[in-house]
Amino acid sequence: TVGTCIEGGSCLLQCTYVAKQDACNSEHFCSLVRERDTVGTGSSYFPWRAKTRGRCVPKRGAQATKAAWAALVKSASEDARKVREEKCVLGCKKEWQRSAQNVQLAMGLKGQLESIVASEQSLRMLPAGMPKVAEAIVEEAESLSEEVASNLGAAFDEKRRNKRSALRKALSDKGCKNLEDGSMQALITAASRPDDAAASSRFAAYVESCPWFRELQEATDTQRLESLSEEIEEVDRAIGSTDARVLREKEDNVPSDESALSS
């Protein structure tokens, strides 16, 4: 069973099927299996009536887990880099969500494995090859989190500073006209590290200059930000209150102040 493989150390994640997305909660650490659901369909007599349902199972063993971790790091890094290079917010919503979710998972795995890595006895109890995988995750997760937060935050700040940006107007409408650089980076860092008092304090410093952030701060305290994608959705909803359709179509085509002056 899944519980047995997690307890035995041959897999790292409880995999669940997300029906709304027709996918697993992690594309890297889980495999999606299609099964025929024969219950209550009469399919025991009429097989063609059987419905297909999804089931997610964890990837097991050191080789598969190492590959899964490498794929997660690569995906999160590339998505965040794309957001920064293209300087997009709503236009890169999928990349924002995916990189944020992967960072959430990475930091969660780090917290799960830290005590194991700190104990020689615990490491010896893991299946062959898994100790090195666990050590790599603990060592690399935080730098990945910082890289992703930095790139997403830089893209957000670039759009916010552009006087012609729809994002700047949307933030102004939310009472966040005087928001300083680093706010989104602080938010993402705090969200991925709910138990880090210093990260929460850094984010709290931006709340006074942005009433909207107070709502996000309350979510941090009460919900522990179990999913970073929910924060990105909140960003989307808040900005979209001005005119979601126009923002999505025009935001990433707005020239920067520098390019506008040079033209």
Side-chain angles (χ1 to χ4, degrees):
T1 64
V2 173
T4 301
C5 84
I6 292 179
E7 293 167 4
S10 62
C11 68
L12 298 180
L13 191 67
Q14 174 77 50
C15 295
T16 56
Y17 175 69
V18 184
K20 184 178 180 181
Q21 301 173 3
D22 187 30
C24 300
N25 56 326
S26 171
E27 64 176 309
H28 305 299
F29 286 88
C30 306
S31 297
L32 178 59
V33 178
R34 301 289 183 183
E35 297 178 335
R36 287 192 174 276
D37 188 355
T38 60
V39 178
T41 62
S43 54
S44 55
Y45 298 101
F46 308 102
W48 57 87
R49 290 186 180 178
K51 296 180 180 179
T52 301
R53 62 184 178 89
R55 183 171 67 90
C56 294
V57 296
K59 295 180 180 180
R60 308 186 185 202
Q63 185 174 352
T65 304
K66 180 181 179 180
W69 172 248
L72 181 148
V73 171
K74 183 174 184 290
S75 174
S77 181
E78 288 181 348
D79 281 339
R81 194 180 305 118
K82 177 182 177 181
V83 169
R84 182 166 191 169
E85 290 174 351
E86 298 187 7
K87 302 179 180 64
C88 57
V89 179
L90 295 183
C92 293
K93 179 181 171 183
K94 181 173 68 174
E95 285 78 11
W96 270 76
Q97 289 180 326
R98 190 164 53 205
S99 60
Q101 286 173 336
N102 282 331
V103 164
Q104 172 90 13
L105 176 55
M107 292 302 291
L109 290 174
K110 177 179 182 288
Q112 172 185 324
L113 295 170
E114 277 181 319
S115 61
I116 296 175
V117 170
S119 168
E120 287 292 337
Q121 182 179 357
S122 297
L123 282 175
R124 285 196 297 269
M125 294 176 66
L126 294 177
M130 288 299 287
K132 288 187 177 181
V133 177
E135 290 171 342
I137 292 174
V138 170
E139 181 180 346
E140 298 169 10
E142 192 161 335
S143 61
L144 175 66
S145 172
E146 291 172 354
E147 176 191 347
V148 169
S150 175
N151 282 333
L152 296 185
F156 182 86
D157 287 335
E158 180 105 15
K159 280 296 181 183
R160 180 191 54 76
R161 288 194 301 266
N162 187 342
K163 294 180 180 180
R164 300 185 182 190
S165 171
L167 172 60
R168 183 183 179 93
K169 181 182 184 303
L171 288 170
S172 179
D173 291 344
K174 299 293 287 185
C176 303
K177 183 178 181 179
N178 298 318
L179 192 62
E180 296 182 0
D181 285 357
S183 59
M184 187 56 60
Q185 181 175 353
L187 166 61
I188 294 170
T189 301
S192 65
R193 307 176 190 183
D195 297 320
D196 188 333
S200 296
S201 178
R202 284 192 292 272
F203 171 56
Y206 293 96
V207 172
E208 293 302 318
S209 60
C210 183
W212 168 54
F213 272 10
R214 188 169 290 107
E215 300 174 21
L216 302 185
Q217 186 185 43
E218 291 171 358
T220 302
D221 293 337
T222 59
Q223 301 175 10
R224 310 299 290 171
L225 295 182
E226 294 179 355
S227 171
L228 277 171
S229 64
E230 292 177 6
E231 280 309 323
I232 304 305
E233 288 288 355
E234 182 65 26
V235 172
D236 192 20
R237 286 193 295 272
I239 295 173
S241 64
T242 55
D243 187 341
R245 181 182 59 78
V246 173
L247 283 173
R248 284 180 170 80
E249 291 177 355
K250 296 184 177 181
E251 181 200 30
D252 297 325
N253 293 320
V254 175
S256 64
D257 293 340
E258 291 79 3
S259 62
L261 290 173
S262 62
S263 60

